Amino acid sequence: MGKIIALANQKGGVGKTTTTINLAASLAALEKKVLVVDADPQANASSGLGVDIRKLKDTIYECLIGSSEAQEAIVSTEIERLFVLPSHINLVGAELEMLSVDNREKVLSNILHPLREEYDYILIDCSPSLGLITVNALTAADSVIIPVQCEYFALEGISKLLNTIKIIKSKLNPNLEIEGFLLTMYDARLRLANQIYEEVKNHFQDLVFTTVIQRNIKLSESQSFAQPVLVYDASSRGSINHMQLAKELIEKNS
């Protein structure tokens, strides 16, 4: 049965979507069947995997408001075994439309749980906020990966996210675990990056992934070509890091 993992951090620009896209592609390359659920109205995970969101009839928005089934909205990508439940800017309005729904925090859970049989991993790319859609993602997930940028304000806001996870665990999803903290945008030459790595490692210990995602120009370039870095440049540092992360995740869950 597939594992549902949310990638969340309410701080923007920490590499959440980049990690989702490239971890998913690496898992697919390692022969896992993967579904990326784009739960961010900016729809960057969808476009980053080559999905033309202007041509879509059904997206996660239609699924959440009950006008479409997930199976109708899921699209394939150019990578074998990698699929996307795409997003759309309309998703901004879904939170308001869901307010009157019973058990509104569990709508996404009800959509995704029947799909677990079909995929090895379901990765949810959350928006950089702690709104109702992100609460839905954390309620649906088995675990959460928290990307942490190796910069000065990196640890700011983590306590807020951990508090949200604690509330969701106590009220909505008692089985929610932290899959791990992932250090992103790491530059070994900077003393600050090393300090933050040490600080996160000391604080969260075994919950920190051994793999670190280093700063890499190919990683940034690949997004403008709407491709995972694995497709854009498989020999790049960004591609190698994400492949290591995928192997570490598989090993952890085997």
Side-chain angles (χ1 to χ4, degrees):
M1 192 155 81
K3 184 166 194 182
I4 303 176
I5 303 174
L7 285 94
N9 190 331
Q10 79 274 21
K11 190 175 184 301
V14 298
K16 201 162 40 329
T17 301
T18 305
T19 303
T20 307
I21 291 169
N22 292 294
L23 173 58
S26 300
L27 287 166
L30 293 167
E31 302 193 343
K32 301 294 179 188
K33 192 178 177 190
V34 186
L35 173 66
V36 168
V37 177
D38 192 348
D40 185 346
Q42 293 176 77
N44 291 336
S46 306
S47 51
L49 285 166
V51 176
D52 187 348
I53 49 179
R54 294 165 302 179
K55 293 180 178 170
L56 297 172
K57 185 171 127 336
D58 296 311
T59 66
I60 190 172
Y61 166 74
E62 282 75 20
C63 298
L64 287 168
I65 62 164
S67 65
S68 283
E69 293 295 318
Q71 296 289 17
E72 296 164 14
I74 291 170
V75 292
S76 57
T77 68
E78 63 173 297
I79 295 170
E80 201 183 342
R81 294 180 291 273
L82 178 54
F83 300 82
V84 188
L85 177 52
S87 184
H88 191 274
I89 191 67
N90 289 350
L91 189 59
V92 170
E95 299 210 352
L96 285 172
E97 293 179 60
M98 288 161 70
L99 285 176
S100 57
V101 175
D102 288 339
N103 279 340
R104 58 178 179 260
E105 299 87 1
K106 297 193 173 176
V107 178
L108 188 58
S109 186
N110 295 335
I111 292 166
L112 297 183
H113 277 253
L115 300 172
R116 293 168 82 106
E117 302 298 326
E118 292 178 47
Y119 298 92
D120 297 305
Y121 289 95
I122 297 175
L123 303 182
I124 310 173
D125 184 34
C126 299
S127 67
S129 76
L130 293 176
L132 184 57
I133 304 286
T134 300
V135 168
N136 259 267
L138 294 171
T139 304
D142 298 307
S143 65
V144 55
I145 290 175
I146 303 170
V148 180
Q149 189 181 1
C150 288
E151 295 204 346
Y152 187 66
F153 293 113
L155 299 174
E156 245 189 25
I158 284 189
S159 57
K160 200 173 174 185
L161 177 62
L162 292 177
N163 198 39
T164 303
I165 290 169
K166 198 169 153 190
I167 292 166
I168 285 168
K169 217 170 143 71
S170 68
K171 293 192 164 48
L172 297 163
N173 181 3
N175 300 320
L176 183 64
E177 298 295 337
I178 291 173
E179 190 72 45
F181 291 85
L182 174 70
L183 286 140
T184 62
M185 305 180 200
Y186 178 78
D187 186 339
R189 297 167 302 179
L190 300 178
R191 191 197 297 163
L192 178 64
N194 290 303
Q195 281 173 344
I196 287 164
Y197 179 82
E198 290 307 322
E199 205 171 323
V200 174
K201 195 80 182 144
N202 288 339
H203 205 74
F204 299 110
Q205 296 169 346
D206 292 346
L207 284 175
V208 182
F209 282 103
T210 307
T211 305
V212 170
I213 308 298
Q214 291 164 285
R215 276 198 183 277
N216 179 244
I217 191 70
K218 298 287 185 191
L219 207 48
S220 312
E221 283 175 7
S222 66
Q223 293 174 352
S224 56
F225 287 88
Q227 289 178 330
V229 70
L230 186 68
V231 175
Y232 181 70
D233 185 349
S235 62
S236 68
R237 173 60 56 198
S239 178
I240 292 164
N241 285 165
H242 284 95
M243 192 57 87
Q244 285 169 333
L245 177 64
K247 287 175 180 168
E248 189 177 345
L249 184 67
I250 291 168
E251 209 172 294
K252 204 174 175 189
N253 286 287
S254 60

